[in-house]
Amino acid sequence: MTKLNKHSVCIHTGEIKDEQFGGAVSPIFMSSSYPFLEVEQKRYPRYFNTPNQEVIARKIAVLEQAEAGLTFASGMAAISTTLLALLKPGDHVVFQNEIYGGTYNLICKDFDQLGIQYSFTDGVAVNDFESKIKSNTKIIYIETPSNPLLTITDIKAVAQLAQNNGIITVIDNTFASPINQNPILLGIDVVIHSATKYLGGHSDILAGVVVSQQNIIDQIFQKGIILGGNLSDFMCYLLERSIKTLGVRIEKHNNNAMDIALFLNNHSKVNAVYYPGLANHPNHHIAKKQMNGFGGMLSFKLDQSINQTEFKNRFKIIKPTMSLGGVETTILKPTLTSHALLSEEDRCKQGITDNLWRLSVGIEDIEDLKNDLNQALI
Ligand SMILES: *Cc1c(COP(=O)(O)O)cnc(C)c1O
C-alpha cells in the first residue's frame, strides 16, 4: 500500500476490515477467548493482541513512525509498565524536573522500595541532563512541552547525549500529540501518550499508548502481561473513532491557542503568557525546530488586581475542570490541582505561583473564546 499522510493514517491505518457485512468501520471484537496456539502467541485481552487493541497500536506506531506499539488502560499504566519493564534494581534514571504529577508520585513513592535510583534535573538544558548521568544510568526521561509552564526541552540534543552514553530515552509526548511532534525522528527510543488527552479528545476516555522499536516493545509486553494494564476492546473502538479526527482537531487547537496566546499577551490584566508559539517564549526557537504546531496548551499569570475566585466563576463556556486535550476549552489553577501536592517551595522553584492559570484551548469558535476570556478578565 502507498504510504499515507497523517490525516489519512488517523482515519485508515490499522482498521479492521468487516469481512462479514462489508461495513465501513472496524467491528468491535469483545471475545476474551480465542483458539489456543502457542503460549506467547495466544490471543487474549491481557496479551495486548485482540483485533481492536492492535488497531490502536498500529495507528499510533505509524503516526509516530515507530516499529510497534501497545495500548494501555491509562497513561499511567503505559508509563509505569514501561519504566518497570526497562529498569531493574541498581539502575539509575535521570528525570526532567517538570514531569506529570502521577509519574512523579510513582518515582517518589515506589522507586526506593524497588531499589531503583533516580535524579531530577535542575533545568531542561542539555548540560542539566548531562550533569546527572552516572555509570549506572539506564534511562533519560523527558516531557516536552511540559506541564504547566510549557517548557521546551531540546529533544534531538538530549537524544544525542543519551546515545553517546548508551542510555535509553523515554518521552511523554502527551501535550504535543503525534500530529505536532514525532520524537522518534529526533532520535528518541520510546514515546508514551496519555490517550486520555488529545488522542481521545472528548473528555470521555481513559487510555494510554507506548510505541518504540520491536525489541523494546517486546520487553514492555513481557511486563505488561504480568501487570495487566491493557485497554478494553470497547474503549479501543471509541479511541479509534476519536483518532479519526485527531488531525483536524489538532490543527484547530493549534490555531485557537496561538490566537488566544497573542490575545492574552496583549491584555492589561495578564502579566505573563507561556506558550511555545510566542516569539517571547524562552525556547521558541527549539519549539519551532522540533514541532509541526505549538499545541493547544498554554498558561498565564493573572494580574493581582483580579479576584481569582470571581475570575473562575465568570466563565460562560470555558469550563473550570481538570484534565486537558478535549474539544471544549477548560481552565484550572495548578496550585490547587495538578501541583497541589508539591510543597510551596518546590512550586516556587518551578515558577508555579498562585496567580498561574492553565488553559486547555478547545476547538470552539475563536471569537466566543475571546469574548468569554475578555468578560472574565475585569
Ligand atoms: C494525564 C497525563 C498523564 C497520565 O495519564 P492518565 O491517562 O490520566 O493515566 C501522563 N502524562 C501527561 C503529560 C498527562 O497529561
Side-chain angles (χ1 to χ4, degrees), residues 73-79 99-103 141 143 145 147 172-175 192-197 205-208 323-324 358:
S74 68
M76 279 313 299
I79 292 167
I99 53 168
Y100 179 69
T103 313
Y141 186 104
E143 194 170 313
N147 183 29
D172 184 331
N173 203 29
T174 301
F175 267 40
I192 302 179
H193 287 276
S194 166
T196 309
K197 314 298 165 51
I205 293 175
L206 201 78
S323 208
L324 62 105
R358 189 193 77 186

Side-chain angles (χ1 to χ4, degrees), residues 151-178:
T151 305
I152 300 293
T153 308
D154 188 331
I155 300 174
K156 201 170 178 176
V158 173
Q160 191 61 56
L161 169 73
Q163 275 170 18
N164 293 345
N165 290 277
I167 297 168
I168 297 172
T169 40
V170 178
I171 187 172
D172 184 331
N173 203 29
T174 301
F175 267 40
S177 90

Side-chain angles (χ1 to χ4, degrees), residues 11-153:
I11 296 164
H12 295 294
T13 300
E15 66 188 334
I16 304 166
K17 200 165 172 203
D18 177 358
E19 301 280 2
Q20 207 169 358
F21 302 108
V25 304
S26 300
I28 312 179
F29 292 95
M30 290 300 289
S31 208
S32 61
S33 177
Y34 287 93
F36 181 77
L37 302 165
E38 291 177 39
V39 175
E40 291 288 286
Q41 288 174 8
K42 71 178 178 190
R43 263 193 212 279
Y44 187 56
R46 187 162 47 72
Y47 275 59
F48 298 91
N49 59 5
T50 60
N52 295 93
Q53 287 175 313
E54 286 179 343
V55 172
I56 305 302
R58 193 75 235 129
K59 231 188 240 308
I60 308 301
V62 171
L63 278 175
E64 289 286 19
Q65 311 221 26
E67 276 176 19
L70 296 170
T71 311
F72 287 89
S74 68
M76 279 313 299
I79 292 167
S80 56
T81 306
T82 299
L83 290 174
L84 295 176
L86 301 178
L87 294 166
K88 58 180 191 316
D91 285 343
H92 173 258
V93 191
V94 177
F95 286 101
Q96 180 173 319
N97 56 348
E98 291 168 28
I99 53 168
Y100 179 69
T103 313
Y104 183 82
N105 286 340
L106 167 70
I107 300 159
C108 296
K109 290 191 176 140
D110 289 315
F111 272 30
D112 284 341
Q113 198 185 323
L114 293 165
I116 299 168
Q117 301 164 20
Y118 56 91
S119 310
F120 287 100
T121 61
D122 299 318
V124 298
V126 188
N127 55 350
D128 290 315
F129 289 90
E130 191 163 19
S131 64
K132 300 291 176 182
I133 293 177
K134 298 187 190 180
S135 59
N136 57 340
T137 301
K138 184 81 184 290
I139 289 178
I140 294 180
Y141 186 104
I142 64 173
E143 194 170 313
T144 179
S146 72
N147 183 29
L149 289 169
L150 290 300
T151 305
I152 300 293
T153 308

Side-chain angles (χ1 to χ4, degrees), residues 153-303:
T153 308
D154 188 331
I155 300 174
K156 201 170 178 176
V158 173
Q160 191 61 56
L161 169 73
Q163 275 170 18
N164 293 345
N165 290 277
I167 297 168
I168 297 172
T169 40
V170 178
I171 187 172
D172 184 331
N173 203 29
T174 301
F175 267 40
S177 90
I179 303 296
N180 282 337
Q181 184 167 279
N182 297 123
I184 291 199
L185 297 179
L186 301 166
I188 294 288
D189 298 306
V190 184
V191 179
I192 302 179
H193 287 276
S194 166
T196 309
K197 314 298 165 51
Y198 288 106
L199 298 177
H202 297 72
S203 309
D204 57 3
I205 293 175
L206 201 78
V209 290
V210 180
V211 297
S212 185
Q213 64 212 47
Q214 189 66 53
N215 68 325
I216 290 182
I217 289 299
D218 289 346
Q219 279 184 67
I220 300 170
F221 165 79
Q222 292 298 341
K223 184 61 77 179
I225 61 178
I226 295 168
L227 295 177
N230 63 281
L231 187 63
S232 82
D233 293 307
F234 187 67
M235 283 315 217
C236 289
Y237 165 79
L238 267 185
L239 189 52
E240 181 185 356
R241 192 181 199 275
S242 291
I243 296 170
K244 288 182 188 186
T245 58
L246 179 67
V248 284
R249 281 189 282 113
I250 294 293
E251 281 180 3
K252 185 76 173 163
H253 283 297
N254 289 345
N255 291 338
N256 274 359
M258 189 71 217
D259 273 11
I260 297 290
L262 289 168
F263 165 78
L264 292 174
N265 208 30
N266 290 327
H267 202 289
S268 61
K269 295 292 171 72
V270 174
N271 292 343
V273 180
Y274 302 87
Y275 185 64
L278 289 180
N280 66 9
H281 183 287
N283 283 333
H284 173 63
H285 60 292
I286 299 173
K288 224 163 117 178
K289 212 173 52 172
Q290 67 191 21
M291 303 182 82
N292 311 314
F294 299 112
M297 300 301 300
L298 61 87
S299 55
F300 59 95
K301 288 186 175 165
L302 265 189
D303 192 78

